[in-house]
Amino acid sequence: MGSRRIWVGAASAVLLLTVSACGGGDSDGGTENGKGGGGGASLSDPANPLKNAEALDAALLRAKDLPKGWTEDSQGDNGGIKAQAASCEGPCNGLAFEGVGNYTDSTGALVGTSIKAYGSKSAAEAGFKEESKLASDATSEKGPAVGNASAYVKSGEDAESALRVVHFRVGAVVVAVSQEYRSGDTAGLSKFTADQAGRIEQALKGE
């Protein structure tokens, strides 16, 4: 089913987040309803999907939503922050829209998001399980619950390029938020994930 690579970064540094276009990695993925994978149910679990790419675009974090000191990274290879209709390398398996967000701070630290909006909650549940499967160079980690299901992963073994990735699902939307593993700002990453989960929940409710 192949994979696509999302580059998230600024001119001084580049962060590579590899996500599957329609499939995952090698090991079993995260588990729903807080049963393993660092997951947990903390938000409502709306069944209705996002109606269009514009709704997804409106749910992406913008400058006004970011923690102090952070800005939108317009230099990211995917154009900074945007949403569009899904472009799959294989069967979309219910995937309707996808979006990316690129963010940086004054120190050059980077956070990147990949968001997949599915046409149904059941498709998103399957997508989350595939998305959070562990690749051969990834290990599972613990972290606070995010959304309706979540999994924390260290991706990559090299100290300079390894990523800390939080996979989570809110209703019919699946998200991966990545950070350079060498960054010690795990509290900042937790705020990014919690804020993005809240924005998606609002969008699914039509707020």
Side-chain angles (χ1 to χ4, degrees):
M1 288 189 176
S3 65
R4 58 186 177 84
R5 291 178 181 267
I6 290 179
W7 292 90
V8 183
S12 60
V14 177
L15 199 62
L16 175 61
L17 171 61
T18 304
V19 296
S20 171
C22 55
D26 301 326
S27 302
D28 289 344
T31 304
E32 295 282 334
N33 298 325
K35 299 178 181 179
S42 58
L43 300 178
S44 61
D45 198 353
N48 56 295
L50 292 177
K51 295 180 179 180
N52 48 46
E54 288 74 18
L56 176 56
D57 186 81
L60 293 169
L61 295 178
R62 303 287 176 176
K64 63 182 177 61
D65 308 307
L66 303 180
K68 183 178 180 180
W70 283 84
T71 61
E72 299 177 22
D73 179 14
S74 61
Q75 302 301 314
D77 279 16
N78 285 281
I81 301 174
K82 68 177 183 180
Q84 61 187 25
S87 55
C88 308
E89 294 180 8
C92 280
N93 294 335
L95 180 62
F97 312 105
E98 55 190 351
V100 294
N102 297 275
Y103 312 97
T104 187
D105 71 3
S106 59
T107 70
L110 305 169
V111 167
T113 61
S114 167
I115 303 182
K116 296 184 176 182
Y118 289 82
S120 68
K121 188 170 73 171
S122 61
E125 289 171 344
F128 169 76
K129 186 173 182 179
E130 287 295 316
E131 197 75 22
S132 56
K133 283 183 177 180
L134 294 179
S136 58
D137 65 344
T139 55
S140 179
E141 297 194 319
K142 294 182 179 181
V146 183
N148 306 122
S150 55
Y152 287 72
V153 174
K154 177 183 179 182
S155 177
E157 300 172 349
D158 184 87
E160 292 299 307
S161 60
L163 300 178
R164 178 180 287 109
V165 185
V166 185
H167 298 279
F168 64 91
R169 180 187 65 80
V170 178
V173 180
V174 175
V175 182
V177 182
S178 67
Q179 177 191 55
E180 292 167 302
Y181 198 84
R182 60 185 175 177
S183 171
D185 186 20
T186 55
L189 181 65
S190 294
K191 180 169 175 54
F192 265 99
T193 57
D195 289 353
Q196 186 62 83
R199 287 290 296 275
I200 291 172
E201 183 188 32
Q202 291 178 340
L204 289 169
K205 290 180 176 179
E207 298 178 358

